[in-house]
């Protein structure tokens, strides 16, 4: 987590204010020509300090008229310094507030426009994802992304060291040549290898970890911050033809910019594909949307399941890079169920399992007394239960066969009657 540097503290400003007031009040200790004159008249509540008012300095701090010039100057200097420090602290606070304003009013609900395929607005959707607080969002997202980027560096930098080279023969004999002693050309002094200060592949890589909940909330925070440049498209999942020109026109209508001029992230359920150089994988040919946009510059296509923390997922990187986020209505519902205030991303697997079992119990209620009654009728031994199950199974098969024959006979009779 980066440290917050710079900017004076409010405590220092308060200390200077107190020091200035004390010096101003203690001015009679430094008597002047008329040290014991009467105090100045009180100002009316709400009036501004004026230099023409007796006993009131231009900085707004009253001092006895008989104070010495040295003490008065010290008081005024302390007051001015306090005001400067307070103004600097206020400027820094506003700068920090502007830095965290991108979180979308601290994760408050925002309205996202819903467009049709022609770019006309047909409704709105509420975007209310769980986010970090406004004070920590910038720092935590940067911390998570830095670790993710470090752990996904490929290939890892590698420089040969002396242990990776063959020693070979001795360059020259030990004595008599007039040169320094060397045992092998595999030495950093000859420039063929590096010292241990240089990276040596995965041997120098540290194992850094990110908490899953922290990684998930970082992606949710970035998604919430993109609400101004987010559009939900109705009917995008029904894209059925591989036409690049049509997708270019649609992107221009949705974003308001020429397609390819800005980074765009397209999130759909069916927008899956994997490029292999100038071609793509065999499975990608079944996806017309991917074939339409795989050659458009600065366009990235992902699925809702790719906005996750699993290995190979780059959801946080793509969300931070995107200037515009376009998603289908179905993908928006998937992400809302995942990153919403009560989304499944914030619950454990056991909690989700228990909730699903509770729903099943409500949908398929059981009579516990009747269940115990049938359990008592079952044999006690294992072998006896196996025979009992076989008998029950054969009886059910006979009933099924008989019922099938009856239905066939009824259908034949009905056909003859017609």
């Amino acid at each position: 987590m980066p440290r917050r540097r710079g900017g004076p503290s409010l405590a220092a400003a308060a200390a200077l204010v107190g020091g200035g007031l004390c010096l101003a009040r203690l001015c009679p200790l430094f008597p002047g020509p008329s040290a014991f004159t009467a105090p100045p008249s009180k100002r009316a509540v709400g009036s501004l300090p004026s230099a023409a008012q007796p006993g009131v300095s231009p900085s707004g701090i009253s001092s006895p008229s008989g104070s010495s010039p040295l003490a008065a100057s010290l008081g005024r200097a302390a007051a001015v310094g306090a005001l400067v420090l307070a103004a600097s602290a206020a400027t820094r606070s506003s700068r920090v507030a502007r830095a965290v304003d991108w979180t979308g009013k601290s994760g408050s609900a925002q309205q996202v426009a819903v467009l049709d395929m022609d770019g006309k607005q047909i409704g709105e959707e509420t975007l209310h994802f769980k986010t970090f607080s406004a004070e920590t969002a910038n720092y935590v997202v940067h911390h998570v992304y830095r670790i993710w980027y470090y752990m996904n560096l490929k290939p890892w930098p590698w420089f040969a060291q002396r242990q990776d080279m063959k020693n070979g023969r001795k360059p020259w004999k030990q004595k008599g040549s007039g040169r320094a002693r060397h045992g092998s050309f595999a030495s950093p002094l000859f420039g063929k290898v590096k010292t241990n200060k240089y990276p040596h592949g995965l041997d120098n890589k540290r194992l850094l970890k990110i908490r899953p909940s922290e990684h998930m909330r970082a992606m949710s925070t970035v998604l919430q911050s993109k609400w101004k440049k987010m559009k939900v498209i109705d009917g995008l999942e029904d894209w059925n033809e591989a036409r690049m020109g049509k997708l270019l026109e649609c992107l221009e209508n949705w974003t308001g910019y020429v397609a390819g001029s800005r980074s765009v992230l397209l999130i759909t359920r069916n927008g899956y594909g994997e490029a292999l150089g100038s071609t793509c994988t065999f499975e990608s040919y079944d996806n017309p949307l991917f074939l339409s946009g795989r050659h458009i510059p600065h366009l990235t296509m992902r699925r809702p399941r790719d906005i996750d923390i699993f290995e190979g997922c780059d959801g946080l990187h793509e969300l931070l890079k995107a200037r515009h986020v376009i998603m289908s209505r179905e993908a928006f519902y998937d992400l809302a169920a995942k990153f919403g205030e009560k989304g499944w991303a914030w619950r454990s697997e056991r909690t989700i399992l228990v909730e699903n079992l509770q729903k099943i119990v409500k949908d398929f209620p059981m009579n516990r007394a009747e269940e115990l009654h049938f359990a008592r009728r079952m044999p006690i031994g294992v072998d006896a239960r196996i025979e009992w199950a076989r008998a029950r199974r054969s009886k059910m098969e006979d009933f099924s066969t008989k019922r099938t024959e009856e239905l066939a006979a009824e259908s034949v009779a009905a056909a003859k009657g017609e």
Side-chain angles (χ1 to χ4, degrees), residues 5-10 12-13 80-96 98:
R5 298 181 180 177
S9 64
L10 294 179
V80 172
L83 293 176
V84 171
L85 287 179
S88 178
T91 304
R92 179 178 176 274
S93 300
S94 63
R95 185 170 62 250
V96 173
R98 289 195 301 269

Side-chain angles (χ1 to χ4, degrees), residues 95-117:
R95 185 170 62 250
V96 173
R98 289 195 301 269
V100 300
D101 186 59
W102 61 271
T103 54
K105 297 183 180 180
S106 302
S108 59
Q110 303 294 340
Q111 299 300 320
V112 179
V114 179
L115 310 179
D116 59 5
M117 298 299 293

Side-chain angles (χ1 to χ4, degrees), residues 24-207:
R25 296 301 180 186
L26 293 177
C27 286
L29 298 180
F30 304 91
S34 57
F36 303 100
T37 57
S41 59
K42 296 183 179 179
R43 281 190 292 128
V45 178
S47 62
L48 295 176
S50 174
Q53 194 172 354
V56 180
S57 64
S59 60
I61 300 177
S62 61
S63 60
S65 59
S67 61
S68 67
L70 176 61
S73 300
L74 289 176
R76 295 191 188 97
V80 172
L83 293 176
V84 171
L85 287 179
S88 178
T91 304
R92 179 178 176 274
S93 300
S94 63
R95 185 170 62 250
V96 173
R98 289 195 301 269
V100 300
D101 186 59
W102 61 271
T103 54
K105 297 183 180 180
S106 302
S108 59
Q110 303 294 340
Q111 299 300 320
V112 179
V114 179
L115 310 179
D116 59 5
M117 298 299 293
D118 297 329
K120 298 179 180 179
Q121 184 171 351
I122 59 176
E124 290 182 343
E125 291 287 352
T126 302
L127 180 70
H128 194 189
F129 292 169
K130 197 169 184 179
T131 63
F132 292 113
S133 64
E135 292 77 13
T136 61
N138 283 320
Y139 304 100
V140 179
V141 170
H142 173 265
H143 172 71
V144 172
Y145 179 74
R146 182 174 57 85
I147 295 179
W148 177 88
Y149 182 80
Y150 176 83
M151 297 303 295
N152 286 272
L153 281 178
K154 293 179 182 179
W156 195 257
W158 183 87
F159 293 90
Q161 296 182 359
R162 184 165 185 168
Q163 61 189 3
D164 302 317
M165 304 289 290
K166 293 183 178 180
N167 290 329
R169 63 180 183 85
K170 189 176 176 66
W172 45 79
K173 61 182 182 179
Q174 186 80 355
K175 297 180 180 296
S177 65
R179 290 176 288 188
R181 298 171 292 182
H182 289 286
S184 172
F185 281 110
S187 170
L189 297 177
F190 291 99
K192 295 183 178 181
V193 296
K194 302 294 183 180
T195 63
N196 56 2
K197 295 183 179 179
Y198 284 79
H200 193 251
L202 296 177
D203 296 342
N204 298 97
K205 186 175 182 179
R206 297 176 295 166
L207 181 60

Side-chain angles (χ1 to χ4, degrees), residues 353-368 371:
L353 176 62
V354 171
E355 291 178 357
N356 291 335
L357 291 177
Q358 290 174 352
K359 292 179 181 179
I360 292 175
V361 169
K362 291 181 180 180
D363 295 338
F364 302 95
M366 290 289 296
N367 189 347
R368 189 62 177 171
E371 184 179 356

